[in-house]
Amino acid sequence: MAVATLWAQPSAAGPEDRLALGVPSAIREWVARLTNDIRANGLKGRVRTQCLLGTRVDVEQIADGWAKVTCPSQETSGWVPSTSSRTRPTGAAAAPSTS
């Protein structure tokens, strides 16, 4: 995918966000469908950031089809569908991965 959206928590993504969750994601289509109200207010508290393809992320946890990742270059973390990144569960230790 060209970009991965890091969600505040797995439950933050709703049915209207399915285009942003696909592999590959359809970010342009997802953004085009967002209403002005959602663009202004609806993503606050739900989306942490977005990481471009090739950005290093560290996998902290994998649970229920989601991976909690940290993006060191943006000093933030969030959740992505575990199918959207190459994740390797290694128990409690964080495994470096790319998305």
Side-chain angles (χ1 to χ4, degrees):
M1 83 180 73
V3 65
T5 302
L6 276 62
W7 299 88
Q9 55 191 359
S11 61
E16 69 279 9
D17 301 313
R18 65 179 171 71
L19 292 171
L21 300 173
V23 178
S25 64
I27 292 297
R28 289 181 188 199
E29 292 87 349
W30 176 64
V31 170
R33 292 182 184 191
L34 295 176
T35 64
N36 287 337
D37 183 55
I38 290 175
R39 288 180 194 205
N41 304 304
L43 299 177
K44 292 178 184 172
R46 295 191 324 128
V47 172
R48 294 273 172 89
T49 192
Q50 291 181 315
C51 292
L52 296 176
L53 178 67
T55 302
R56 181 178 149 235
V57 298
D58 298 322
V59 178
E60 297 178 18
Q61 177 184 353
I62 298 175
D64 300 321
W66 287 83
K68 184 173 185 183
V69 299
T70 299
C71 180
S73 65
Q74 295 186 32
E75 299 180 355
T76 191
S77 64
W79 293 86
V80 296
S82 60
T83 56
S84 68
S85 63
R86 290 177 282 169
T87 56
R88 291 187 311 257
T90 57
S97 178
T98 59
S99 64

